[in-house]
Amino acid sequence: MRQIPSTVVACALLIIFASWPTVRTWAELGMIQHYLTHALYGLAGVLFGLQTAWWAHASDVIAQPEERGISS
């Protein structure tokens, strides 16, 4: 069974936390909570982007091992 990367799990948890109970409720509480909501969504996006970049790098390394001087 394949494991789910912790960055994707953290990303999902941040999005769930940012939208609980609703984004509107967070935004109506005050400016700090409004910025916290944006920060949580931003952090989730950064984590997902880093994981996507890691997957792209790993697939590039696996797809073209001869160009990097690696032989099997």
Side-chain angles (χ1 to χ4, degrees), residues 3-15:
Q3 295 179 349
I4 299 172
S6 60
T7 52
V8 174
V9 173
C11 175
L13 291 174
L14 285 171
I15 290 174

Side-chain angles (χ1 to χ4, degrees), residues 7-18 36-52:
T7 52
V8 174
V9 173
C11 175
L13 291 174
L14 285 171
I15 290 174
I16 290 168
F17 182 70
L36 175 64
T37 303
H38 284 286
L40 290 173
Y41 279 122
L43 184 59
V46 167
L47 287 175
F48 191 75
L50 287 173
Q51 186 62 47
T52 304

Side-chain angles (χ1 to χ4, degrees), residues 5-6 10-11 17 19-20 23-24 31 36 38 43-44 55-56 59 63 65:
S6 60
C11 175
F17 182 70
S19 60
W20 173 80
V23 173
R24 185 175 181 154
M31 276 306 229
L36 175 64
H38 284 286
L43 184 59
W55 284 331
S59 67

Side-chain angles (χ1 to χ4, degrees), residues 53-72:
W54 175 255
W55 284 331
H57 172 72
S59 67
D60 183 41
V61 169
I62 291 171
Q64 302 171 356
E66 293 82 22
E67 291 181 11
R68 299 186 183 273
I70 302 170
S71 62
S72 51

